[in-house]
């Protein structure tokens, strides 16, 4: 019934298996990829009819994790998978980025790639498996995919590169780098690093590229055995060359003039006016259906692209007049918002990000539930890109894939420099609002976030900055551009983002729009990026250079201390009764960890100290001869009970009230009085005896040496009066007459 094909190789010390022909046979391409015991089903389907009404390639990539893959039942009311998680969204982008540029030009068919995680062995991350599975499915589908691609994860442990480290090994790695590409070169890099040098990062990319060559060859072998017939591509319309010639005649001079205007808004208006000449000329032909508006738009885009690219290579001068290495003017400001815990405004040319830092407690940590297990995250970075930032009026949507991806890139750049939870016991959230955009708002977010964290008093190890690099590559040469503009990103061949400190790189992301780039180009880009990063850090230093000595007065003050684990139950109380009472009465927030670590947070220092004293009173053990400040809770004939520590009470006998004869306890004390008392004894039953007479009631000083140990007799100070110390016996029964 099934015509199955299988290819297996040994890769990174584990078997990698490609299987097709049994599952999802109606898809154009379907491959089950197994690595270790992680299994991902990857499918590719393309519509047979091309879209003639669009000027872009309609590719959709969906990576999805099924809870059953790890033997779990989804949480929530519906108990089924819901909207994509952050991991699923980021992995979908990771797959999309290297495969998109490899589809043949002119291919406009709706295409969908779905990668479904069916089994997770909790050792091998499914993202790399899904990426190579998507490549295999497309390669055998018959669609015009100029692949295949390979992909790998590279770790760096004890000075050695490690191919596809397991989840446990990643905990010891100071590098997490995902790389994808073809036989000829690299197409995509995504990474997080612990301030590594340019040489180590470039070496990791080379290591990964060499390591996935076996995967590419395995996919080629599979395709040779079972690939479907290649699809025919639509031919270019007969009128295309005539339209190209006429468009250049009408608009080339105006477009060249427009791209000499350095102000973005003025340049956009001039470019639109130049294009309008061509669209007006062909308006009747478009309306009559003789010429496609999509084809006409593509001609104008290519003309625009050719002008900008060739001028840059020929003159080494860019749209805004800079050379290839100069960074636009920078202004860095902190303390922008008076009520925020930390805030910064970072402006670089026509790109601007407002970053706002908020400090919270352990109760504000994000709970992340993944197939590999649940964990808590105490550092969050959220990126927003409102339409006004590019001068547009459009529907304000919730964050999409781009916003999530840019926020995660900035988060990866900052996280290696964040203090440990023990060093800084706060939950930290930064929101970056992009208020202007003309080139790399994600790198502006890195810079703004670093500034806002330091303004909030977060002890960041070192400031972090980021820069975006571009590439213009033609047959007769290339140019690497530092701090690219939006137009240079749109019309260029590479988006290469590098973030880090003066010590090294913390994050690197690269996307190539052409088939690949050389090692020489990457070396030049990394070198220019380092120079640019150091320059930006210098400009940022004019605003702030390290975390403030104290956090904002608007932020909660967190005090951290340790108690005996055996006492946790007493602090929490039955059903949480005690800890709820403490928080309700004091207004403080309290976090208790299993190891006995307690964090008390309060904006008001007095309420925080009150909660601390309350907790310490609960867990503290009475100390002999120690003086306590307490409150009288009950007055008896033979003495008074004093609450001297937490919920603990002790007895001050009538003879220990004063150094003189006391007739009645009520002559000296009333309920609610605050007194100083010294702990003078604990009997076998744990009952505590206190003394007021040996303590100066005004200063709390010990005066036992002055008054001596002998106590004065008081009325009722005999066996009959001190009923609390007299053993109780059973009353003899009266004999009947």
């Amino acid at each position: 019934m099934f015509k199955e094909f299988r290819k297996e190789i040994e890769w990174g010390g584990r078997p990698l298996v490609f299987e097709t022909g049994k599952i999802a046979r109606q898809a154009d391409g379907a491959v089950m990829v197994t690595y270790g015991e992680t299994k991902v089903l990857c499918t590719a389907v393309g519509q047979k009819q091309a879209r003639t009404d669009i000027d872009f390639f309609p590719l959709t990539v969906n990576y999805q994790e099924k809870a059953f893959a790890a033997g779990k039942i989804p949480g929530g009311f519906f108990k089924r998978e819901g909207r994509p998680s952050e991991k699923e969204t980021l992995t979908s982008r990771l797959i999309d980025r290297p495969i998109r540029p490899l589809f043949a030009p002119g291919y406009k068919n709706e295409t969908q790639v779905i990668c479904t995680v069916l089994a997770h062995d909790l050792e091998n991350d499914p993202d790399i498996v899904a990426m190579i599975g998507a490549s295999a499915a497309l390669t055998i589908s018959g669609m015009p995919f100029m692949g295949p691609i390979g992909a790998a994860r590279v770790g760096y442990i004890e000075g050695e590169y490690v191919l596809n480290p397991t989840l446990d090994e990643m905990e010891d790695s100071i590098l997490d780098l995902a790389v994808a590409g073809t036989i000829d070169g690299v197409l995509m890099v995504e990474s997080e690093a612990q301030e590594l040098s340019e040489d180590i990062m470039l070496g990791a990319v080379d290591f990964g590229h060499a390591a996935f060559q076996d995967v590419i060859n395995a996919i080629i072998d599979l395709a040779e055995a079972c690939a479907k017939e290649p699809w025919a591509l639509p031919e270019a319309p007969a009128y295309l060359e005539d339209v190209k010639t006429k468009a250049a005649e009408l608009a080339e001079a105006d477009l060249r003039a427009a791209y000499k205007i350095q102000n973005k808004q003025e340049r956009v208006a001039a470019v639109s006016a130049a294009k309008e000449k061509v669209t007006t000329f062909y308006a009747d032909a478009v309306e009559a259906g003789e010429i496609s508006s999509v084809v006409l738009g593509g001609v104008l885009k290519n003309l625009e692209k050719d002008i900008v690219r060739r001028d840059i290579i020929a003159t080494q001068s860019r749209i805004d007049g800079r050379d290839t290495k100069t960074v636009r003017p920078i202004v860095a400001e902190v303390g922008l918002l008076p009520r925020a815990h930390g805030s910064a405004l970072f402006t670089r040319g026509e790109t601007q990000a407002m970053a706002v830092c908020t400090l919270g407690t352990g109760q504000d940590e994000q709970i992340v539930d993944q197939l590999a297990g649940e964990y808590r995250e105490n550092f969050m970075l959220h990126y927003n890109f409102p339409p006004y930032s590019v001068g547009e009026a459009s529907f304000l949507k919730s964050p999409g894939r781009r916003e999530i991806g840019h926020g995660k890139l900035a988060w990866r750049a900052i996280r290696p420099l964040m203090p440990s939870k023990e060093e800084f016991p706060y939950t930290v959230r930064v929101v970056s609002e992009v208020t202007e955009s003309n080139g790399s708002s994600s790198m502006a977010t890195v810079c703004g976030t670093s500034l806002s964290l330091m303004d909030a008093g977060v002890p960041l190890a070192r400031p972090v900055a980021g820069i975006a690099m571009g590439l213009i590559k033609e047959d007769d040469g290339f140019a690497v551009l530092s701090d690219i503009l939006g137009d240079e990103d749109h019309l260029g061949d590479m988006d290469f983002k590098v973030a880090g400190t003066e010590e090294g790189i913390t994050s690197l992301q690269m996307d190539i729009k052409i088939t690949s780039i050389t090692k020489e180009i990457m070396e030049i880009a990394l070198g220019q990026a380092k120079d640019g990063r150091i320059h930006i850090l210098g400009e940022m230093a004019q605003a702030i250079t390290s975390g403030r000595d104290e956090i904002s007065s608007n932020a909660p003050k967190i005090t951290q201390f340790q108690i005996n684990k055996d006492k946790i139950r007493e602090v929490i109380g039955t059903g949480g009764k005690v800890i709820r009472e403490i928080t309700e009465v004091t207004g403080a927030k309290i976090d208790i960890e299993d190891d006995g670590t307690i964090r008390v947070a309060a904006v008001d220092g007095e309420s925080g100290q009150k909660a601390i004293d309350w907790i310490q009173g609960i867990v503290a053990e009475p100390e002999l001869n120690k003086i306590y400040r307490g409150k009288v809770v009950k007055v008896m004939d033979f003495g008074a009970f004093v609450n001297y520590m937490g919920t603990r009470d002790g007895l001050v006998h009538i003879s220990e009230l004063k150094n003189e004869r006391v007739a009645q306890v009520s002559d000296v004390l009333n309920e609610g009085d605050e007194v100083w008392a010294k702990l003078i004894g604990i009997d076998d039953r744990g009952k505590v005896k206190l003394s007021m007479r040996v303590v100066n009631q005004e200063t709390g000083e010990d005066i036992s040496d002055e008054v001596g140990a002998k106590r004065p007799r008081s009325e009722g100070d005999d066996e009959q009066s001190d009923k609390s110390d007299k053993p109780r016996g059973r009353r003899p029964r009266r004999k009947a007459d």
Side-chain angles (χ1 to χ4, degrees), residues 334-336 341-344 450-457 544 547-548 550:
V334 295
L336 192 70
H341 301 163
S343 59
S450 177
L451 293 166
S452 70
L453 288 169
M454 292 187 289
D455 185 50
I544 192 169
R548 298 193 186 281
E550 295 183 357

Side-chain angles (χ1 to χ4, degrees), residues 19-32 41-44 133 136-138 140-141 222 226 228:
E19 297 172 286
T20 187
K22 184 175 181 179
I23 299 177
R25 291 174 296 163
Q26 295 186 47
D28 292 314
V31 178
M32 179 78 78
L41 174 64
C42 302
T43 62
L138 287 166
I140 69 172
S141 69
L222 183 71
C226 63
K228 296 179 180 179

